[in-house]
Amino acid sequence: MADPLPELLAYLMMQSLLAIGGVSVILGELHRMVVASTGWLTEAEFATLFALAQAAPGPNMLFVTLIGWSVGGIGGAIAATLAFLAPAVVLAGAVARMWGSWQDRPWFVILRRGLVPLTVGLVAGSAILVANAAASGWTSYAITAAATAAVLTLRVHPVLVLGVAAVLGAFGAI
Amino acid sequence: MTRAAVRQPTARAIFASFAMVGIGGFGGALPIFMHELVDRRRWLDRDEFAEILSLCQILPGPNVINVAIVFGMRAAGWRGALAGLAGMLALPVVIVLVLATLYSGFSDVPAVERATAAVASAAAGLICAVALRLAWPLAGRPLRLAIVLLVVALIVALRVPLVAIIAGMAPVGLALAAWEFRRGG
């Protein structure tokens, strides 16, 4: 059987161009390719690896890392990560290099400012979706509210908030 | 980022800072990203963070990856960009591969399931806090707030795909900003 890794890497490079915002938007397409079309992963493996990528610290593009690991071991994991990063490095790198000379140009100022409400809406919308997905009852929403308040009023470090939640959850206190 | 000249992070400092973001980013890197860059290191203020995030949101690729590249490059050239990426991904890649190798052992323990559920809800709260902090300057600007609320409704109630939301709402936001800019805003 032919080595699937090169095909996976080329596919990931293309998908990276569509992953506007994060891997969440291409999840459906990734599922179509790696489960339905090629069978590189089973349904169960896909779900498990996604949960692991969410549970582990770091950006959720780690899901791509795990797909690469599943297809080609540690080398596949690293190659998949680099392949997914490559388009972003080129494009974001180009934007970054031009930023200085574009800084005060009206069109760039308008672009930066004009997109902020959209971004705030996207973050707020995803906060609501995540809160709903994580919720198993009213206490879940209470935890969400408490975490929000802890950050906004007490400036508690995000990891400390999560650590307290983990400990209280493990002991059944919440 | 006009203030980058005043506080010039080195590539090494960027690596260390982004390593904190990487290993602290449970349930999403955005809250700890904002905490690290805006609150702790003060390399960006809130508005600069909002603007760079907004641009990186519409660029292809994951938004926090793009922010790492753009911020790193602006602050310390290619070395800064690579330091940002390496910091953000190196440890998490190792951790996630270790987790994947071990996962079958602990997933059924009730305490682990409860802890995971609590962390998931708390992580949602962290994202809420980021949304509220970014929204704060929009408080007195009803047209911008209207855009925010419309986007939220499209995502939560109508489940419109992200690309469609960006394609539809980006021009609205840009038109508003252009109109205000021409009026001297």
Side-chain angles (χ1 to χ4, degrees):
Chain A
M1 191 169 84
D3 182 9
L5 192 58
E7 186 187 350
L8 174 66
L9 296 182
Y11 172 75
L12 288 176
M13 279 184 67
M14 277 178 21
Q15 286 306 309
S16 175
L17 292 170
L18 299 174
I20 299 182
V23 299
S24 321
V25 299
I26 56 168
L27 267 185
E29 164 57 30
L30 286 177
H31 183 271
R32 186 203 62 78
M33 179 65 167
V34 306
V35 178
S37 181
T38 61
W40 290 332
L41 266 62
T42 66
E43 286 283 6
E45 286 169 340
F46 188 91
T48 304
L49 294 183
F50 183 72
L52 281 171
Q54 290 291 104
N60 65 0
M61 73 155 277
L62 291 177
F63 182 49
V64 167
T65 306
L66 287 178
I67 293 177
W69 174 73
S70 196
V71 169
I74 293 181
I78 295 174
T81 307
L82 294 176
F84 198 73
L85 286 174
V89 168
V90 170
L91 286 165
V95 169
R97 301 217 31 199
M98 298 307 301
W99 190 299
S101 59
W102 288 342
Q103 176 111 21
D104 300 317
R105 305 246 184 106
W107 71 265
F108 196 61
V109 174
I110 290 170
L111 185 67
R112 288 187 344 246
R113 289 189 197 157
L115 294 173
V116 170
L118 168 64
T119 294
V120 176
L122 291 175
V123 176
S126 72
I128 295 173
L129 288 180
V130 173
N132 288 339
S136 56
W138 71 266
T139 53
S140 303
Y141 290 106
I143 296 171
T144 299
T148 308
V151 171
L152 291 181
T153 60
L154 301 174
R155 298 286 174 156
V156 181
H157 192 287
V159 176
L160 187 55
V161 172
L162 299 181
V164 169
V167 168
L168 292 178
F171 285 107
I174 52 174
Chain B
M1 294 188 305
T2 52
R3 301 187 198 189
V6 176
R7 12 184 171 103
Q8 271 293 357
T10 62
R12 182 166 301 167
I14 292 172
F15 178 84
S17 174
F18 280 55
M20 290 292 105
V21 175
I23 60 173
F26 290 93
L30 190 59
I32 183 133
F33 216 159
M34 189 173 185
H35 176 86
E36 182 68 22
L37 289 180
V38 176
D39 300 326
R40 190 163 159 256
R41 300 274 180 163
R42 300 178 192 271
W43 286 334
L44 294 171
D45 64 30
R46 177 201 51 207
D47 295 329
E48 289 168 333
F49 182 82
E51 288 182 359
I52 189 175
L53 178 66
S54 300
L55 265 169
C56 289
Q57 188 85 34
I58 62 162
L59 283 172
N63 53 2
V64 290
I65 297 293
N66 287 327
V67 174
I69 295 168
V70 173
F71 175 81
M73 176 81 89
R74 288 277 295 145
W78 276 112
R79 295 180 64 210
L82 291 176
L85 281 178
M88 185 176 241
L89 290 172
L91 273 175
V93 164
V94 171
I95 292 174
V96 83
L97 290 176
V98 168
L99 279 181
T101 313
L102 297 175
Y103 84 92
S104 57
F106 296 101
S107 55
D108 304 329
V109 175
V112 171
E113 286 175 342
R114 286 197 304 267
T116 306
V119 168
S121 290
L126 296 183
I127 304 174
C128 287
V130 170
L132 288 170
R133 290 181 68 189
L134 293 180
W136 188 250
L138 307 183
R141 318 190 76 164
L143 290 176
R144 282 181 165 71
L145 280 181
I147 293 175
V148 173
L149 292 173
L150 180 54
V151 171
V152 172
L154 291 174
I155 292 175
V156 176
L158 298 178
R159 304 289 176 137
V160 176
L162 177 65
V163 178
I165 293 180
I166 292 177
M169 297 308 299
V172 175
L174 294 177
L176 175 61
W179 177 68
E180 287 182 357
F181 188 88
R182 301 228 156 82
R183 293 183 72 211

